[in-house]
Amino acid sequence: MPNLEPSPVFKRRKTEGDPVSVHRIQSNQTMKRWTTKREHQIYSSKLFQALCRSRRTSSSTSAKELHQTADRVLAITAKGTTRWSRAILAAPLTAGTNMKKHKRAKVTVHTRLRKPVVNREKRKLPVVERKLKALRRLVPGCRKLSCNNLLEETSDYIVALEMQVRAMTAITEFLSRGEAQAPTDRLGSIGNM
Amino acid sequence: MDVTALDRQQATYPLELCASSVPLFQSYLGSVPIVELKRPEAYLGGDGFHEFVYFPVGGGPEFGDSEKLNLVPPDAAPDYCISRTSSCQMTAFHAAAMKEEREDMILEKMESTTGSGSRESFTKRKAEVVADQKSKDKRIKGEVEGESEVKTKCSTQVSRNSSKENSKACEVQKPDYIHVRARRGQATDSHSLAERARREKISKKMKCLQDLVPGCNKVTGKAGMLDEIINYVQSLQRQVEFLSMKIAALNSSVEFNVENLPIKEFPAYVANFPAAAKLPAMPSLTCFQLNPMQKEAVNCMLNETMHPPLTATEGIASASLSIPEQALSSSTITQLQPFSTWNMDPQGLYNVYNMGFH
C-alpha cells in the first residue's frame, strides 16, 4: 500500500498534476484519506482505547453502546470535514431515531388514502427522487441535502464505513484470539507446575 | 463547504505547502503594494494582454491585501483570452479577469525570479488557475468559443497542461457561478447551460460512487446505481452492527484488566489485518499484562519456559521472577529479548513485549 500521508490538498494536487475541478480533487482526497494504512491504524487504536475506557466505566457493554462508540470514533477520525461526521457527533447519546420514522410512515399512509389516483402518479414518477430519499435516510445528517452534496457525502460515508468494518473485524479477531489462547495458556502453565 | 472554499483559494494562489496555509496566505498577501492591482483596470479592451507580459513584477509575488484579492477569483470572471477573441463588451468583471491574467503573469515572473523548487507547484497551480478560468464563460451568455483560439492566446499556460484543457465542459464546484462551456450544436441558453452543468456534476459524482460500490458496473442509469448504493450502504451498516454485537459479546466473556492491555501491539495487529494472517499468537500476550492472579500465571510460565533454555538464560530469567507482581518492567523485557527459545510463543511473545512495555 502506498504510504499516503493525509497531506494538505495542495500537495495532492501537485502529485496529481491535472487541473480537474475542486470536487474531483476532494473526492480523490476522500478516498485516499480513508484508505491509508495510517488512518486505519489511527482509527483502530482510538477505537480500542475507547473500548477499554468504556469497559472500565461500565461493567456491561451493550452492542448498541459499542456501535455508537464506534460511530463516534469514526466521526472523530473524519476531523469534522463531512456533514455525516458532524451529525454523528452532534447527535445525543439516545435512541430517538425510531420515533421519527414512525411518524413519517403514518403521514404517508393518510395522504395515500385521501388522494389515491393523483398521488400515485406523482409518487411513481420521480423514481430517482425516492431513491435519493432512501439514501438520505441512511446517511446520517443528510436529510435535507441536495442530490449533489448527498452523493458526495455518500461516497465519503461509504469509504469510512468500509474502514470501520475492517477495523472492527480486526478487533474481533484480536479479541477472539486472545480469548481462545488465554485460558489454554493459563491452564497449561498451571498444569505444569 | 468551507473546506472546498479553502481548497479553491489554495488552488488559485501560489502558497507555501502547509496545512495551515491561511496564516501564510495572509502574510503572503500582506507584502504587496496596492498599486499594481489598479493597473489592470486601465486595460479595458485593446491589447491589455500584451501589456501584461511586460508588467513589472518587483521581486516576488505582489498582490493586494486580502480584501482586494478576494475580489478576484470568486467573482469568476471569464478568461481574458476568451473575451479578447470574442471581442465582448468589456465590463467590470473583465477587469477582474485581467487581474487574474496578471496574476498568472506574475506567477510566471515569480517562477523565473525565485527559481525555487516550488516552481513546479506554481506551474501546476497556475495551470489550475488557467483551467478554472478557461471554464468560466457562463457570463458570456452562451457564446461558443473556438478552443484553438483560446489555446493560442494562452499558449504559455496551456502548453503546460494542454491535455487537461481538452474537456469542453469544465466545472468548478463552488457556491458561486457555475462555469460551463456550451458544446457545438447544443442550446446555449443560460438555463440549459445551468442544467447541463448540474447534470454533469451529478454524473461525475455518480461515477465516483460507481468506483466505490462493487457490482455497480453492470447497472446503468441513475436509478439502478442508486439502488446498488443504497443496498451497499445498508449492508455496510448491518455489518458494523453485527461486528459491534460480536465485540460486545467478546468483551463480556474475556475478563481482563483493560488498563494493562497493550495498545501498542494492537496497531501491529491491525497493520497485519489486511494480510489476514498469521499473527503469531500476538494476542495471546494480552493474557500476560493482566490481573495479579494472571501475573502469577505469567511467572509460572517463565518458570516453566526457563527449563529448556541454557543456564545463562536461567539466571536472568530467575532474576526476572524476583520482580514483584506488578507489570513486568521494561528492563526485564530487554533482558528477555535475546531469548528466542521460549516454548510457548517465541517470536510473538517477545515482539509484543518489545512493543507493549515502554
Side-chain angles (χ1 to χ4, degrees), chain A residues 97-114 119 123 130 133 137 143:
Chain A
T97 49
N98 296 333
M99 310 193 32
K100 284 183 187 174
K101 283 180 184 173
H102 290 317
K103 278 183 188 171
R104 280 186 185 171
K106 280 181 189 170
V107 168
T108 52
V109 165
H110 288 314
T111 52
R112 272 189 181 159
L113 285 172
R114 281 174 201 165
N119 279 350
R123 291 212 177 167
R130 305 186 94 194
K133 222 175 182 180
R137 266 182 260 143
R143 288 185 185 261

Side-chain angles (χ1 to χ4, degrees), chain B residues 53-328:
Chain B
V53 177
Y54 306 112
F55 197 77
V57 177
E62 294 177 347
F63 296 105
D65 47 310
S66 57
E67 292 162 4
K68 290 223 171 190
L69 262 180
N70 285 338
L71 289 178
V72 179
D75 286 349
D79 191 354
Y80 175 69
C81 302
I82 294 174
S83 60
R84 253 196 102 211
T85 54
S86 60
S87 60
C88 282
Q89 309 274 336
M90 295 295 253
T91 57
F93 56 80
H94 283 236
M98 281 179 270
K99 286 180 197 167
E100 294 192 52
E101 280 303 320
R102 189 192 55 82
E103 285 165 30
D104 292 339
M105 291 302 117
I106 288 173
L107 285 174
E108 268 188 354
K109 298 285 181 180
M110 205 166 34
E111 281 183 44
S112 53
T113 51
T114 59
S116 61
S118 53
R119 179 178 297 193
E120 253 190 56
S121 64
F122 288 142
T123 317
K124 304 260 185 205
R125 261 291 168 66
K126 205 166 40 131
E128 284 169 47
V129 171
V130 170
D132 289 341
Q133 290 171 345
K134 295 253 174 291
S135 57
K136 296 167 200 157
D137 60 353
K138 177 143 188 220
R139 294 219 201 189
I140 300 180
K141 310 282 180 191
E143 268 183 310
V144 180
E145 312 293 339
E147 273 201 311
S148 56
E149 283 181 44
V150 173
K151 278 188 178 174
T152 50
K153 295 300 174 194
C154 309
S155 57
T156 52
Q157 292 137 4
V158 169
S159 60
R160 291 195 182 118
N161 59 346
S162 53
S163 58
K164 280 57 174 190
E165 300 289 303
N166 284 332
S167 60
K168 294 219 173 189
C170 304
E171 296 176 23
V172 179
Q173 183 199 5
K174 273 289 284 177
D176 57 357
Y177 293 97
I178 297 163
H179 309 285
V180 181
R181 186 163 296 165
R183 291 184 219 198
R184 188 180 167 80
Q186 289 188 350
T188 56
D189 187 26
S190 67
H191 291 296
S192 36
L193 275 179
E195 280 171 31
R196 195 173 314 123
R198 182 183 155 270
R199 262 181 275 138
E200 294 208 11
K201 259 199 260 179
I202 289 178
S203 69
K204 255 190 197 175
K205 290 179 188 170
M206 294 289 274
K207 278 181 197 162
C208 291
L209 280 171
Q210 205 172 24
D211 297 331
L212 285 178
V213 177
C216 231
N217 305 325
K218 301 161 192 170
V219 196
T220 49
K222 273 197 214 170
M225 265 171 48
L226 279 174
D227 260 337
E228 285 296 322
I229 292 167
I230 289 172
N231 286 338
Y232 189 59
V233 171
Q234 274 175 343
S235 76
L236 282 176
Q237 284 178 338
R238 261 182 269 132
Q239 267 183 321
V240 171
E241 214 174 300
F242 174 70
L243 283 170
S244 70
M245 277 198 302
K246 209 170 167 187
I247 292 178
L250 281 174
N251 264 2
S252 53
S253 65
V254 185
E255 304 272 340
F256 39 86
N257 187 355
V258 297
E259 289 181 9
N260 295 331
L261 271 176
I263 304 299
K264 289 194 181 179
E265 77 184 46
F266 186 65
Y269 188 100
V270 168
N272 288 336
F273 172 63
K278 53 165 192 157
L279 279 195
M282 239 194 273
S284 68
L285 298 191
T286 55
C287 70
F288 292 124
Q289 292 87 17
L290 306 173
N291 291 328
M293 62 177 206
Q294 287 166 337
K295 279 164 195 164
E296 284 176 8
V298 175
N299 288 337
C300 292
M301 256 187 65
L302 284 174
N303 261 334
E304 165 212 354
T305 51
M306 257 198 330
H307 296 310
L310 310 168
T311 52
T313 61
E314 269 189 43
I316 300 174
S318 61
S320 72
L321 283 181
S322 64
I323 293 169
E325 283 185 22
Q326 293 164 5
L328 295 171

Side-chain angles (χ1 to χ4, degrees), chain A residues 136-164:
Chain A
R136 283 195 184 99
R137 266 182 260 143
L138 284 177
V139 184
C142 297
R143 288 185 185 261
K144 294 188 180 177
L145 275 191
S146 61
C147 169
N148 202 351
N149 295 329
L150 179 67
L151 292 178
E152 208 175 300
E153 292 282 326
T154 307
S155 60
D156 194 66
Y157 188 56
I158 284 177
V159 192
L161 275 182
E162 282 173 357
M163 191 190 80
Q164 189 180 23

Side-chain angles (χ1 to χ4, degrees), chain B residues 325-356:
Chain B
E325 283 185 22
Q326 293 164 5
L328 295 171
S329 69
S330 53
S331 57
T332 351
I333 305 310
T334 50
Q335 286 168 8
L336 290 174
Q337 276 178 26
F339 304 152
S340 52
T341 55
W342 293 87
N343 264 349
M344 300 299 236
D345 302 299
Q347 289 296 320
L349 263 185
Y350 76 75
N351 277 345
V352 172
Y353 278 136
N354 291 346
M355 284 186 281

Side-chain angles (χ1 to χ4, degrees), chain A residues 23 40 54 57 97 120 123 133 141 147:
Chain A
H23 159 68
H40 192 216
S54 70
T57 52
T97 49
R120 260 185 221 159
R123 291 212 177 167
K133 222 175 182 180
C147 169

